[in-house]
Amino acid sequence: FLLSNNSYSKPINKMVFQFRVYHLKDQNQVSMTDSFLQNAFLPALHRFGIKNVGVFKPLANDTAIDKLIYVLIPFNSLDQWMKITDRLASDDKFQKDGESFLHADAKMPGFQRMESILLNAFDGQPGMDLPKQKNPDRIFELRSYESPTSHLADKKRAMFNNDEMKIFSRLGF
């Protein structure tokens, strides 16, 4: 979560995002994960009312040692995120459709590692703005901000909320 000293002073209804990063070693794992996402995971999320899930692959060559698939899942609340694992576990269709991935042989797993990162939306961008045009070749940039202290992180968030969001909006980012 991105927290600041003043994040509790004014409640804002902000989305929560889970960012999954699948680390894959070869094309077989890429295919297994692609199939799982397309045929089991995304349809289950859609059945639960979670729309606009983004699946991304980095621009890289085929010889990259660590192949990656990024999945960005928007949740309307922390409570919705907290319940998703139980909902998936009790969803018979998801379990059936994802069987080969969810219960893969340990010698041939669907991925090497899966990271799960939970993000809280910024005050200046409390929700998700989708691109006006749907273009499968569109490039999305993942930005990460780091600060050596909490105070400087608060200042960066304030700058993002007050200044950068206006620039991003004006330029259609």
Side-chain angles (χ1 to χ4, degrees):
F1 276 98
L2 298 174
L3 299 175
S4 66
N5 292 337
N6 61 6
S7 65
Y8 301 105
S9 62
K10 54 180 179 182
I12 296 176
N13 186 22
K14 298 187 292 187
M15 294 184 86
V16 174
F17 300 92
Q18 181 183 27
F19 196 60
R20 290 184 173 200
V21 183
Y22 290 89
H23 295 262
L24 315 158
K25 72 175 178 180
D26 56 30
Q27 189 55 44
N28 185 50
Q29 286 188 336
V30 171
S31 296
M32 284 180 69
T33 302
D34 279 341
S35 179
F36 167 72
L37 293 171
Q38 181 178 5
N39 299 313
F41 190 67
L42 295 178
L45 293 179
H46 292 165
R47 284 193 305 278
F48 301 151
I50 300 170
K51 307 290 185 199
N52 303 315
V53 177
V55 178
F56 307 95
K57 292 181 181 175
L59 294 175
N61 62 38
D62 289 340
T63 61
I65 293 172
D66 192 18
K67 297 169 186 339
L68 302 170
I69 296 177
Y70 299 95
V71 182
L72 180 65
I73 309 164
F75 292 96
N76 291 322
S77 67
L78 185 57
D79 185 60
Q80 185 184 33
W81 170 77
M82 290 177 66
K83 292 178 180 174
I84 197 64
T85 301
D86 290 340
R87 289 193 75 187
L88 289 168
S90 65
D91 185 83
D92 292 336
K93 183 157 178 49
F94 171 72
Q95 293 297 320
K96 180 179 175 272
D97 293 346
E99 170 73 24
S100 63
F101 183 85
L102 296 170
H103 300 282
D105 187 297
K107 294 177 185 167
M108 294 179 16
F111 56 90
Q112 293 302 105
R113 185 177 80 217
M114 191 271 290
E115 297 175 57
S116 178
I117 303 163
L118 192 61
L119 303 166
N120 194 19
F122 282 106
D123 292 347
Q125 183 70 38
M128 180 186 288
D129 285 341
L130 297 175
K132 290 179 177 50
Q133 313 133 351
K134 295 204 180 226
N135 178 351
D137 296 325
R138 187 174 179 141
I139 296 174
F140 290 86
E141 179 182 3
L142 174 63
R143 289 182 168 218
S144 176
Y145 298 95
E146 296 181 12
S147 298
T149 67
S150 294
H151 172 71
L152 290 174
D154 289 342
K155 289 180 83 165
K156 180 60 182 172
R157 277 188 293 278
M159 184 174 62
F160 183 86
N161 286 318
N162 297 325
D163 300 322
E164 289 184 37
M165 281 309 307
K166 292 174 189 169
I167 295 168
F168 289 171
S169 179
R170 187 184 70 213
L171 296 176
F173 290 2

